[in-house]
Amino acid sequence: MTSIRRLREVPRFDREVDVVVMGLGLAGASAALEAKAAGADVLVVERSGAGGGASALSGGLIYMGGGTPVQKAAGFEDSEENMFKFLMAVSSPGADEEKIRVFCADSIEHFHWFEKQGVPFKRSFYDEPGLESRTDDCLVYTSGEDCAPWNTIATPAPRGHKAQVVQKGGGLLMKIMLEAVGRESIPVLTDTRGEALVVADDGVVCGLVVKHAGAELALRARRGVVLAAGGFIMNEAMCALHAPVLNRVTDRNGTPGDDGTGIRLGQSAGGTAIRMHLGEVALPYTIPNPLSKGVYLNTRGQRFINEDTYHGHVGIAGLYKEAGELFLLLDDATFRRGLVGLQPSWVAETFEELEAEAGFPPGSLVETMTLYNRHAAQGRDPVFGKRPERIVPLVNPPYALVDCRVSQGAIWSGFTIGGLRTSVDGEVLDYAGDPVPGLFAAGRTAAIFSGHGYAGSGASLADASYFGRRAGRAIARAGGR
Amino acid sequence: MTSIRRLREVPRFDREVDVVVMGLGLAGASAALEAKAAGADVLVVERSGAGGGASALSGGLIYMGGGTPVQKAAGFEDSEENMFKFLMAVSSPGADEEKIRVFCADSIEHFHWFEKQGVPFKRSFYDEPGLESRTDDCLVYTSGEDCAPWNTIATPAPRGHKAQVVQKGGGLLMKIMLEAVGRESIPVLTDTRGEALVVADDGVVCGLVVKHAGAELALRARRGVVLAAGGFIMNEAMCALHAPVLNRVTDRNGTPGDDGTGIRLGQSAGGTAIRMHLGEVALPYTIPNPLSKGVYLNTRGQRFINEDTYHGHVGIAGLYKEAGELFLLLDDATFRRGLVGLQPSWVAETFEELEAEAGFPPGSLVETMTLYNRHAAQGRDPVFGKRPERIVPLVNPPYALVDCRVSQGAIWSGFTIGGLRTSVDGEVLDYAGDPVPGLFAAGRTAAIFSGHGYAGSGASLADASYFGRRAGRAIARAGGR
């Protein structure tokens, strides 16, 4: 189903355009809009009944910086160089310097492009790091920029931008982007699945065979095909082979289309998939600041991260290093103020009791909290560098322990961020780093820009839109066939 | 250099055989011997001046079990099922059950095959887990089988088998294996580099273009090609793309041939590489038992593993989770008895002083050791499950801290274990899991059998030889062209 079709084996084409875009999430919409703007005749095919994809289900954060109008209005200083410095650090090891460079250089322009499509961004900051603001405010910290160790590497600046809407922003974002696609009169074939790339004998990708309304259609793409069909979090077998820890997450972020079809189509034509073990992972809640005054513990009763960092960092470290087996400890003061619908599994008057009840190794939780509280009384955390304003000694019983273990049913969410290796212009690259002619990819069908690190929430939509746009512009001027 | 050559573009072949094996380490030798034994006309090409490869430089441990003659003679009970249970657990997440099943089922036969080739195994056990015994004894624990948590999952049995020679066994092993290749009159072209696979229009691999003495030779392989040309630890750019943490290791285990050529040749013909981020990693020393009475600390002054486990587990967890930034803490008693040429970087009369001198977060080392010593006084380690016989309270000053940080020049060694995806018979598989006809791979050119887990020292040579043999048998009966 995902093997190639030879050009000479295609008797006739049902439709002929310059560019076929497969998938109408944010990556596909961005690629289509830019290809069209560059003069190309574009056709979009979308597997489901309407566009939107996983982008529409998402929090809608877009990672942009360097001094966007929202950053400025909210009083945050940022620069291209500062953003670059942060992203290089957070993306290590294996940061993709070339992509990060252009991503930062063009970030303000990218913001204006979104506004030109009609996406409204309120000039305001929301002072809770999270998946998205719960108000219609725009700007949030989404990658721990103001936390250790990053706050010593680059000047902290929030860069998560959400369209102006209460709660999640993905729905509004995609509604507007789909309207933009409509305004540009870009044809969209919905209920249409990509089945095979059409490849000429010399390896040039020049079409896509799709299934539409039960029938097979052959689409000729004179300049090439953009694969923007999502990742593979919905494909358990692919996760088992490439990213088995992601099979532990209880809430797979995606649509049924995120089954790896896009990646496999790209591989069938010679594209190489990279960093396939990586994922974005989040704890089940948008952590409010008071909650970060608590302490995360692993099963050995140890802390493993500064709790005030962005909870996506907690999620990644928690799943990849601690197998998703975490607890959150709070005292009476921090518990009352902070929790959002979370119930403690254990409550006790002393750490000793709590430790015994929850089954930690004897003494482990007590020792951890003795050290933590001793430092907290001085307003500091020399072990993990939590910020003073998030540090209070946990000394008000009862103490509560929230069970965040994925094995015990805690809801962890995640999606894949590995995928086809692409150039800065979205060209799909083969094992040697050479472009597969006529083939482009964007969004989670491609490996995200941030190397083996984790660039935080908003990075995926920013990558999808920014590199999707570049792919659209590049394919419009591609030689093709 | 690593792109394919079309069959129709090859004007003539300089030599024609059934099977071409590229690389004469253990995988290549095993494949060649079995293909020859099955009646095939085999030619081996080897890039360097003589066979041996990274196998000859290795400790020479081969992971075999299920009740080998050595295990029996040394008084260890083991069974296929017990070995399977252990390997499935240690290989998680993502254990490759199909490969592990056949690997265990045939392990005793595999032992006898080595003896038939002339490899001597002394019927003896060496009671220090390590890279290899320092005597000519055979059997060692190489994967923490007798340590937590594995000792509760399967009955502990040592499975690392070394040929009978003092110190490292790889040299003798490969000397004997190369003699076996010679006895079978299998021709070997040395100083010969594989440059391009020859592929027919229907995708069948049917030859290899090599460079020999400055000239290009086209080798026809009627039944196919076995890629057994090592991994990619010597290729920094490939490591940066796929396994950036491995660029931190200071001692790359391999020969110059481990530059990824084999993997890239396989990819050029449609093979898929998987688990490319993974490596085997070891600390700079063969840890003697007394040393494991010490305590490993990360930069936050925390323990992170049971110190009595096989040091490869320490290496993997240490590099992948702790970025290679470790310390080993010993007291006067454990230090004097245990250290093998290691010098402490800090010595102090109290933990407080040691902690301050080495720059740990204040109180962190002291708290860790308070808890550790309290439990050790009771002969137990409820936090990580270290075995009672390796537990002593560290209470005899002075205390010594050995700096094992890779960033400070400590010698960590490692090599890649990701590579081409292969079937149980060594067929190279494409992205969809279908064989690339005529193409086989073994050794570190292929992804190791153990999924995303880490099966310990000896696993790589065992994988190379066992699945190399299977590849040799399979290609001898392959349809070919």
Side-chain angles (χ1 to χ4, degrees):
Chain A
M1 196 192 92
T2 51
S3 54
I4 59 165
R5 196 73 59 87
R6 290 278 164 204
L7 177 58
R8 57 186 142 79
E9 294 163 2
V10 180
R12 55 174 278 282
F13 284 97
D14 298 281
R15 199 149 165 183
E16 182 162 341
V17 292
D18 290 328
V19 173
V20 171
V21 175
M22 177 175 156
L24 190 54
L26 183 57
S30 302
L33 284 167
E34 289 288 74
K36 173 78 187 214
D41 179 21
V42 180
L43 171 65
V44 179
V45 296
E46 162 59 37
R47 174 168 159 164
S48 71
S55 310
L57 305 176
S58 78
L61 289 170
I62 308 168
Y63 199 87
M64 299 182 287
T68 68
V70 182
Q71 287 182 312
K72 283 188 178 160
F76 289 99
E77 287 215 7
D78 198 7
S79 69
E80 176 190 333
E81 204 49 42
N82 189 51
M83 181 181 178
F84 177 77
K85 216 185 296 177
F86 172 76
L87 283 179
M88 284 299 290
V90 83
S91 300
S92 82
D96 188 333
E97 185 169 348
E98 193 185 359
K99 282 194 176 177
I100 293 172
R101 178 54 76 191
V102 295
F103 181 74
C104 294
D106 296 336
S107 196
I108 294 173
E109 185 277 335
H110 195 48
F111 175 89
H112 290 301
W113 181 80
F114 271 118
E115 288 206 323
K116 222 178 80 187
Q117 308 310 313
V119 181
F121 296 109
K122 190 173 171 184
R123 266 53 176 170
S124 62
F125 173 64
Y126 184 77
D127 194 17
E128 289 275 4
L131 284 173
E132 61 277 327
S133 62
R134 289 191 294 277
T135 62
D136 71 347
D137 292 304
C138 177
L139 199 60
V140 285
Y141 279 106
T142 64
S143 192
E145 295 86 348
D146 53 345
C147 308
W150 322 114
N151 56 2
T152 63
I153 292 169
T155 306
R159 299 194 184 91
H161 289 67
K162 189 189 78 166
Q164 186 170 359
V165 61
V166 173
Q167 298 283 4
K168 287 184 165 224
L172 176 65
L173 173 68
M174 287 314 298
K175 178 171 172 290
I176 292 168
M177 293 301 287
L178 296 180
E179 284 167 1
V181 168
R183 263 198 314 277
E184 298 299 326
S185 305
I186 299 170
V188 177
L189 277 183
T190 56
D191 297 303
T192 304
R193 300 165 75 105
E195 302 249 305
L197 289 164
V198 180
V199 183
D201 278 342
D202 56 2
V204 178
V205 173
C206 54
L208 184 69
V209 174
V210 298
K211 186 83 85 149
H212 173 73
E216 194 175 280
L217 295 181
L219 308 175
R220 182 81 169 79
R222 282 180 294 251
R223 298 190 181 281
V225 174
V226 180
L227 300 171
F232 63 97
I233 191 64
M234 294 304 178
N235 187 326
E236 269 195 53
M238 269 184 89
C239 286
L241 182 64
H242 297 293
V245 292
L246 292 179
N247 270 341
R248 300 205 86 195
V249 305
T250 35
D251 174 26
R252 292 170 191 256
N253 289 165
T255 73
D258 289 294
D259 65 354
T261 300
I263 294 170
R264 289 157 62 96
L265 282 173
Q267 290 177 301
S268 73
T272 302
I274 57 171
R275 305 186 202 120
M276 292 286 278
H277 63 296
L278 295 173
E280 279 206 9
V281 180
L283 289 178
Y285 41 79
T286 300
I287 192 170
N289 287 335
L291 211 64
S292 72
K293 294 181 178 168
V295 165
Y296 281 115
L297 300 171
N298 64 23
T299 55
R300 297 172 301 282
Q302 300 174 311
R303 290 176 71 210
F304 72 99
I305 203 163
N306 43 328
E307 295 82 3
D308 66 330
T309 195
Y310 181 55
H311 73 273
H313 291 305
V314 180
I316 293 275
L319 189 71
Y320 280 81
K321 296 186 178 178
E322 306 291 347
E325 301 295 274
L326 301 186
F327 303 85
L328 177 61
L329 174 66
L330 298 149
D331 72 350
D332 196 49
T334 49
F335 179 75
R336 283 178 192 284
R337 285 199 292 150
L339 282 177
V340 190
L342 290 176
Q343 290 304 318
S345 293
W346 300 273
V347 176
E349 289 299 312
T350 67
F351 290 135
E352 285 79 359
E353 287 170 32
L354 197 62
E355 172 184 282
E357 282 179 22
F360 284 91
S364 59
L365 184 155
V366 173
E367 290 293 337
T368 296
M369 292 313 298
T370 301
L371 185 66
Y372 181 82
N373 277 341
R374 190 197 311 155
H375 290 139
Q378 303 160 353
R380 65 201 190 106
D381 171 26
V383 182
F384 286 100
K386 195 157 147 176
R387 284 166 291 173
E389 59 266 35
R390 302 288 167 83
I391 298 175
V392 291
L394 301 179
V395 290
N396 299 298
Y399 301 105
L401 204 56
V402 179
D403 192 343
C404 306
R405 288 177 294 178
V406 69
S407 67
Q408 301 304 307
I411 296 169
W412 289 53
S413 61
F415 59 92
T416 60
I417 57 174
L420 295 173
R421 183 182 178 193
T422 53
S423 71
V424 290
D425 286 321
E427 301 159 293
V428 173
L429 304 178
D430 67 12
Y431 68 95
D434 297 321
V436 176
L439 189 61
F440 295 74
R444 294 293 54 79
T445 301
I448 201 168
F449 70 85
S450 50
H452 285 244
Y454 170 62
S457 279
S460 186
L461 290 185
D463 173 273
S465 52
Y466 175 71
F467 291 104
R469 290 178 62 202
R470 290 186 72 108
R473 292 196 298 266
I475 197 169
R477 62 174 186 264
R481 175 115 325 211
Chain B
M1 194 191 94
T2 51
S3 53
I4 60 166
R5 196 72 60 89
R6 291 278 162 204
L7 177 57
R8 56 185 145 79
E9 295 163 3
V10 180
R12 53 173 281 280
F13 284 97
D14 299 281
R15 198 150 164 179
E16 181 161 343
V17 292
D18 291 330
V19 172
V20 171
V21 175
M22 176 175 158
L24 190 54
L26 183 57
S30 302
L33 285 166
E34 289 287 75
K36 173 79 187 211
D41 178 20
V42 180
L43 171 66
V44 179
V45 297
E46 162 58 36
R47 175 167 159 164
S48 72
S55 310
L57 305 176
S58 78
L61 288 170
I62 308 167
Y63 199 88
M64 299 182 289
T68 69
V70 182
Q71 287 182 313
K72 282 188 178 158
F76 291 99
E77 288 216 5
D78 198 8
S79 68
E80 175 190 334
E81 203 50 39
N82 189 49
M83 180 181 179
F84 176 77
K85 217 186 293 177
F86 172 77
L87 282 179
M88 284 298 291
V90 84
S91 301
S92 84
D96 187 333
E97 183 168 349
E98 192 184 0
K99 282 194 175 175
I100 293 172
R101 177 55 76 192
V102 295
F103 181 74
C104 295
D106 296 337
S107 196
I108 294 172
E109 186 277 336
H110 194 48
F111 174 89
H112 289 300
W113 181 81
F114 271 117
E115 289 207 321
K116 223 179 78 190
Q117 308 311 313
V119 181
F121 296 109
K122 190 172 170 185
R123 267 51 177 172
S124 62
F125 173 64
Y126 184 77
D127 193 18
E128 289 275 4
L131 284 171
E132 62 277 328
S133 63
R134 289 189 294 275
T135 63
D136 70 347
D137 291 306
C138 177
L139 198 60
V140 284
Y141 279 106
T142 64
S143 192
E145 295 86 348
D146 54 344
C147 308
W150 322 114
N151 55 3
T152 62
I153 292 170
T155 306
R159 299 192 185 94
H161 288 67
K162 190 189 76 166
Q164 187 170 359
V165 60
V166 173
Q167 298 284 5
K168 287 185 167 225
L172 176 65
L173 173 68
M174 286 314 299
K175 179 174 173 289
I176 293 167
M177 293 301 288
L178 296 180
E179 285 167 2
V181 168
R183 263 198 314 276
E184 297 301 326
S185 306
I186 298 170
V188 177
L189 277 183
T190 56
D191 297 305
T192 304
R193 301 165 75 105
E195 302 249 305
L197 289 164
V198 180
V199 183
D201 278 343
D202 57 1
V204 179
V205 172
C206 54
L208 182 70
V209 175
V210 298
K211 186 84 81 144
H212 174 73
E216 194 175 283
L217 296 180
L219 309 175
R220 182 80 167 83
R222 282 181 293 254
R223 297 189 184 279
V225 174
V226 181
L227 300 171
F232 63 98
I233 191 64
M234 294 303 178
N235 187 326
E236 270 195 53
M238 268 183 90
C239 286
L241 182 64
H242 297 293
V245 293
L246 292 179
N247 271 339
R248 301 205 86 195
V249 305
T250 36
D251 175 25
R252 292 169 191 258
N253 289 167
T255 74
D258 288 296
D259 64 355
T261 300
I263 294 170
R264 289 157 62 95
L265 283 173
Q267 290 177 301
S268 73
T272 302
I274 56 170
R275 306 187 202 118
M276 291 286 277
H277 63 296
L278 295 173
E280 279 206 9
V281 180
L283 289 179
Y285 40 80
T286 301
I287 193 168
N289 287 337
L291 211 63
S292 72
K293 293 179 178 168
V295 165
Y296 281 115
L297 300 171
N298 63 23
T299 55
R300 297 172 302 280
Q302 300 173 312
R303 291 176 71 211
F304 71 99
I305 203 162
N306 42 328
E307 295 82 4
D308 66 331
T309 194
Y310 180 56
H311 73 273
H313 290 306
V314 181
I316 293 277
L319 189 71
Y320 280 81
K321 295 186 178 178
E322 308 291 347
E325 300 295 275
L326 300 186
F327 304 84
L328 177 61
L329 175 65
L330 298 149
D331 72 351
D332 196 50
T334 49
F335 180 75
R336 283 178 194 285
R337 284 199 293 148
L339 282 176
V340 191
L342 289 177
Q343 290 306 315
S345 294
W346 300 271
V347 176
E349 289 299 312
T350 67
F351 291 134
E352 285 80 358
E353 286 169 35
L354 196 62
E355 172 183 282
E357 281 178 24
F360 284 92
S364 60
L365 184 154
V366 173
E367 289 295 335
T368 296
M369 293 313 299
T370 302
L371 185 65
Y372 181 81
N373 277 340
R374 191 195 312 155
H375 290 139
Q378 304 161 352
R380 66 200 189 105
D381 171 26
V383 182
F384 287 100
K386 195 157 148 176
R387 285 165 291 173
E389 59 268 34
R390 302 289 166 84
I391 297 175
V392 291
L394 301 180
V395 291
N396 299 300
Y399 301 105
L401 204 57
V402 179
D403 192 344
C404 306
R405 289 177 294 178
V406 70
S407 67
Q408 302 305 305
I411 295 168
W412 288 54
S413 61
F415 59 90
T416 61
I417 58 175
L420 295 172
R421 183 182 178 192
T422 53
S423 72
V424 291
D425 286 321
E427 300 160 294
V428 173
L429 303 178
D430 67 12
Y431 68 95
D434 297 321
V436 176
L439 189 61
F440 296 73
R444 294 295 54 80
T445 301
I448 201 168
F449 70 85
S450 49
H452 286 244
Y454 170 62
S457 279
S460 186
L461 290 185
D463 172 273
S465 52
Y466 175 71
F467 290 104
R469 290 178 62 201
R470 290 187 72 109
R473 293 196 298 266
I475 198 169
R477 63 173 187 263
R481 173 115 327 205

